[in-house]
Amino acid sequence: MDGVNVLTQDVVIPGDSYRYQFGVPDAGTYWYHSHYLSYDQVSRGLFGAFIVEEQNAPAVDHDIVVQFFDVLLDQSGQYDEAFNPAHFATEGRIGNTVTALVFNGTGKTVKRGDRLRLRLINPSIDRVYRVGLDGLIGKIVALDGIPLAHPRTLEPILLAPGQRCDVIGDATGPIRFDDSFGEQTLSLGEIAVSGSREPAKAPITALPANRMPAPKDPGQTAELVLQGGAGSASHNGTGTWALNDVSGLPRRPFLSAAQGTTARISIRNETGFPHVMHLHGHHFWELDAAGEAGPYRDSTYLDTGETRDILVVLDNPGSWMLHCHMLSHQADGMATWIRVG
Ligand SMILES: [Cu+2]
């Protein structure tokens, strides 16, 4: 279940209820949020972390969820009810108040020398972060919930809306988060440290691998062109943004394939703004320019003018939305869907 109203379920109206029921075979850092008027409802806080623990979790002293969230407040400090339509067609509704929402499941104070697992999540509707971490020596061990076969050096992490990143490391002082995506570096918040201990000696290794499908030669290829935005020509459909000349969810799927098909989709960003394309119900490999498979993710970031191919094994039957996870862009037309089986 990866519910989307119109496509797979009805909205849950006030006073009504709906039971989501699904297995959780893949350990990792996930999240959940409203998918109805999501630019509005998520911006008001209708989201949360969804953690699936490993059967053999790595030994850490603290397992901490950190959600980077921005909100637009008016002059009196209240949620700004005015939705400026110009923002839908540009970089989105960017908040003027940015914070790190920190939840430490152990409830204990972090000591210098403690080993931490940080689960970084970007539930912001439109804001992209480049997250720097101070006060921690460690490695990046997972992206979008999926373990990296080879943990990466810890350096500032690009975190677009919807994306996640797991970091394991040892505290050397207060853990300070900052964002260097924009022109000015912003302080996002910190995790306080009190006391100290000898750091763990064990090396930081890869998380236990999740089950992964085996890609075949692509049985289908497709091109997805990102178009529209302020100042561009208009497209078919209802909104400002478009995918392959159609703005808004089309009646026919962008791609229809038999279950188990491997598909290669080339995504080209022809707009003047960055986007982060998210596929429901699946993860996919980001391919590099040489066609080599990179990380296995569910959301891929494309800068202005950038092209990226992704490879996906369509092993999950159903109708699945493919959309920009900048939720103002999605609301203004940047959404399509695929059908599997
Ligand atoms: Cu977008």
Side-chain angles (χ1 to χ4, degrees):
M1 298 191 121
D2 203 353
V4 176
N5 62 289
V6 179
L7 209 53
T8 57
Q9 69 168 90
D10 291 331
V11 294
V12 186
I13 60 172
D16 205 356
S17 65
Y18 185 86
R19 183 193 295 267
Y20 291 89
Q21 201 164 330
F22 50 94
V24 286
D26 304 312
T29 301
Y30 300 90
W31 70 300
Y32 62 93
H33 63 86
S34 169
H35 220 283
Y36 174 63
L37 300 179
S38 50
Y39 69 95
D40 183 359
Q41 298 195 351
V42 174
S43 77
R44 293 174 193 267
L46 206 45
F47 64 85
F50 192 119
I51 306 304
V52 182
E53 292 169 1
E54 290 86 5
Q55 303 248 337
N56 297 299
V60 295
D61 301 300
H62 304 270
D63 190 326
I64 301 175
V65 175
V66 185
Q67 299 181 90
F68 300 107
F69 187 60
D70 71 339
V71 63
L72 192 60
L73 300 179
D74 65 18
Q75 297 217 324
S76 63
Q78 299 299 306
Y79 182 91
D80 192 335
E81 299 284 343
F83 282 80
N84 182 345
H87 291 162
F88 286 83
T90 55
E91 81 277 21
R93 181 179 156 100
I94 302 296
N96 52 12
T97 305
V98 191
T99 190
L101 306 168
V102 177
F103 175 74
N104 184 350
T106 64
K108 292 184 295 189
T109 306
V110 175
K111 294 192 192 77
R112 198 173 267 109
D114 275 352
R115 181 156 288 186
L116 276 55
R117 178 177 186 162
L118 302 177
R119 301 174 183 269
L120 313 180
I121 305 175
N122 180 1
S124 300
I125 58 168
D126 295 309
R127 184 186 280 270
V128 181
Y129 302 88
R130 190 181 303 282
V131 181
L133 279 87
D134 208 23
L136 191 82
I137 295 176
K139 297 230 164 95
I140 298 171
V141 295
L143 294 172
D144 293 351
I146 305 295
L148 293 169
H150 304 287
R152 292 185 181 177
T153 307
L154 183 55
E155 49 192 27
I157 303 152
L158 190 110
L159 212 60
Q163 293 188 317
R164 292 89 65 207
C165 176
D166 285 40
V167 171
I168 295 180
D170 300 323
T172 59
I175 321 291
R176 296 201 173 93
F177 303 101
D178 66 50
D179 165 39
S180 58
F181 185 75
E183 279 161 22
Q184 283 175 328
T185 299
L186 298 175
S187 171
L188 296 173
E190 69 169 63
I191 299 171
V193 164
S194 173
S196 66
R197 53 160 280 197
E198 276 296 301
K201 298 241 171 25
I204 294 162
T205 54
L207 295 170
N210 284 349
R211 70 189 177 132
M212 300 277 272
K216 304 187 200 92
D217 280 341
Q220 284 220 29
T221 56
E223 190 171 50
L224 188 72
V225 186
L226 281 48
Q227 300 152 319
S232 77
S234 64
H235 296 273
N236 298 313
T238 52
T240 308
W241 300 99
L243 298 169
N244 292 359
D245 281 323
V246 180
S247 181
L249 215 55
R251 263 183 338 117
R252 296 166 64 88
F254 156 69
L255 195 151
S256 186
Q259 188 180 357
T261 303
T262 299
R264 180 172 177 149
I265 303 171
S266 183
I267 308 173
R268 190 164 84 240
N269 180 5
E270 288 188 348
T271 79
F273 295 88
H275 301 282
V276 54
M277 297 307 293
H278 169 59
L279 176 60
H280 282 237
H282 296 80
H283 276 63
F284 51 78
W285 287 272
E286 287 182 332
L287 302 181
D288 67 15
E292 292 295 317
Y296 191 57
R297 314 198 62 149
D298 62 18
S299 302
T300 187
Y301 175 84
L302 291 106
D303 207 346
T304 303
E306 196 172 9
T307 296
R308 175 159 310 102
D309 286 20
I310 62 170
L311 193 69
V312 56
V313 178
L314 298 167
D315 56 3
N316 199 355
S319 296
W320 304 110
M321 207 163 169
L322 171 61
H323 65 93
C324 181
H325 218 296
M326 292 165 177
L327 297 175
S328 295
H329 294 174
Q330 182 205 330
D332 206 9
M334 206 170 236
T336 188
W337 60 293
I338 65 173
R339 182 158 51 208
V340 181

